[in-house]
Amino acid sequence: MKKAVIFLSFATLVFSGCETIVAVDTPPHTPRLALTYTLSNQAPSSEYQNFFEGRELFVSVSQGALEVKQPTGRGDASVELVNEAGQTVEQFRSKARQGYNYTTGRPDSIYGYYVPARGFVGEPGQTYTLRASVPGVEAVEAKLTLPARAVIETGGYAIRQSNQLPSDAYPGRLTCSILDNAATTDYYLAYARVLDRNGQYWGYVQLDYNSNNNPEINLTRPQFSVSQSNYSQYPFSDAGGNGQRLNLSTDVYLRYGGRYDPASTYSKPGFIEIIVSSITPEAYRFYQSLQRYYDTDGNPFAEPAPLFSNVRPGYGLFGGSTDVTYRIAL
């Protein structure tokens, strides 16, 4: 035993004194334009843009794998949307945001967002091309056809009791049934929001993580997504159920999202609005790959999780979404 201890001590000293420096060549990198944008059949009003923040146009430029600087957006991009006839139907302007040094011209992480200047509304069945360029980088483009509208058969909200939530959280079971078209392969995202009794935005629907009735997140099962967060996009398809009803059902509660004034009482919720989005195959693949990428959580031993891209010769997503709504009175 004593000999073994002496040997291990000697081995530790030998190997601790060994140090090998390996020179690693920096992989070649050509900066490419990178962007994300989702075209919809809804008018891009301020209410729409606030609810669907993840759909707005963001433009940046790729950087090498070993670069340590914080990636930033580009505020000098030229972007246009072109229809099948070759006509420019939409252009974009840089989005000003107060409080982020926008007026000083100093770029930061918020720099690079754009808003549509013409208020164009996409039409299902029509094909559109997005073209973008910035100085010093090769221009890119991507093409899509807006999918047909989904058919929401039923929707409901059943109030339930919860010992873990206050009464003014309005806990309940939210359900939705989609009639799927048997003739096509379809891809969906589903959202929900809360309106007051006048039909104005009241707040948002929050998944009840304390409920034992909610299954684990599974990208093969229909479930509600969060419109403001790219991390919480859960696309689903009719694979395995083509032509059948696609059913969503989950325990949730309602959260007030307006400005609270202690001097007055805020309005009561009046409606839940379910939004079912028929999305393009490219958007479906992008959000699936994005979820897998987030799930690696920076683990160097995880399986590679490259992001899908349909922007050529750059990176990113030009997605399409055709939205339909179903209103439930509370």
Side-chain angles (χ1 to χ4, degrees):
M1 181 67 182
K2 186 175 181 180
K3 291 182 179 179
V5 172
I6 293 173
F7 173 77
L8 290 173
S9 299
F10 176 75
T12 302
L13 289 173
V14 171
F15 287 108
S16 63
C18 295
E19 183 176 316
T20 303
I21 299 176
V22 178
V24 178
D25 292 332
T26 303
H29 173 71
T30 300
R32 300 288 186 187
L33 203 58
L35 62 84
T36 58
Y37 176 63
T38 298
L39 174 65
S40 170
N41 66 323
Q42 294 197 60
S45 62
S46 58
E47 180 183 356
Y48 168 84
Q49 293 179 52
N50 289 333
F51 186 73
F52 286 111
E53 286 185 355
R55 291 182 178 181
E56 60 187 344
L57 174 64
F58 179 76
V59 181
S60 183
V61 174
S62 67
Q63 62 186 44
L66 300 183
E67 294 184 53
V68 295
K69 66 179 181 180
Q70 185 73 18
T72 59
R74 292 287 293 258
D76 55 350
S78 297
V79 186
E80 65 173 358
L81 185 71
V82 179
N83 64 12
E84 291 182 81
Q87 300 170 324
T88 298
V89 294
E90 185 62 274
Q91 293 175 307
F92 299 82
R93 60 174 177 81
S94 186
K95 182 177 184 180
R97 291 191 174 187
Q98 296 296 328
Y100 288 97
N101 295 326
Y102 182 87
T103 57
T104 65
R106 295 198 300 268
D108 54 30
S109 61
I110 213 71
Y111 213 57
Y113 284 93
Y114 292 77
V115 292
R118 301 186 183 182
F120 177 76
V121 176
E123 184 177 342
Q126 297 298 305
T127 300
Y128 302 95
T129 301
L130 187 73
R131 294 172 180 158
S133 63
V134 298
V137 181
E138 186 176 2
V140 300
E141 72 173 40
K143 182 179 294 186
L144 61 75
T145 300
L146 272 186
R149 292 175 174 83
V151 177
I152 303 177
E153 181 184 33
T154 60
Y157 192 66
I159 299 295
R160 61 184 175 85
Q161 298 297 320
S162 174
N163 297 325
Q164 297 175 310
L165 293 172
S167 59
D168 60 357
Y170 308 97
R173 186 78 177 172
L174 181 63
T175 59
C176 175
S177 178
I178 304 169
L179 288 178
D180 183 65
N181 186 354
T184 58
T185 301
D186 302 297
Y187 307 92
Y188 304 98
L189 283 165
Y191 309 95
R193 63 178 181 174
V194 189
L195 308 178
D196 63 20
R197 293 171 182 173
N198 295 319
Q200 301 300 310
Y201 178 76
W202 182 89
Y204 53 96
V205 174
Q206 175 69 53
L207 179 68
D208 186 357
Y209 292 100
N210 294 317
S211 172
N212 295 324
N213 297 321
N214 286 338
E216 293 293 327
I217 296 298
N218 186 332
L219 291 182
T220 64
R221 178 175 49 242
Q223 54 203 315
F224 288 96
S225 299
V226 179
S227 62
Q228 293 89 350
S229 170
N230 279 333
Y231 178 78
S232 301
Q233 301 298 304
Y234 306 122
F236 55 95
S237 73
D238 56 9
N242 194 302
Q244 303 176 21
R245 289 179 177 84
L246 303 177
N247 297 308
L248 296 88
S249 182
T250 186
D251 284 349
V252 299
Y253 59 96
L254 314 184
R255 297 192 64 177
Y256 180 65
R259 179 175 297 177
Y260 177 70
D261 183 0
S264 63
T265 58
Y266 57 85
S267 61
K268 300 290 185 180
F271 304 92
I272 292 180
E273 195 168 67
I274 296 175
I275 303 170
V276 174
S277 304
S278 299
I279 60 175
T280 54
E282 295 83 6
Y284 174 78
R285 294 179 62 185
F286 175 82
Y287 286 120
Q288 278 208 323
S289 69
L290 186 63
Q291 193 67 42
R292 288 192 294 266
Y293 174 81
Y294 283 135
D295 287 345
T296 63
D297 197 25
N299 182 359
F301 302 106
E303 289 292 328
L307 293 177
F308 172 81
S309 173
N310 68 330
V311 177
R312 299 291 183 269
Y315 307 102
L317 169 72
F318 174 37
S321 177
T322 301
D323 305 324
V324 294
T325 61
Y326 186 98
R327 186 170 291 187
I328 303 166
L330 296 175

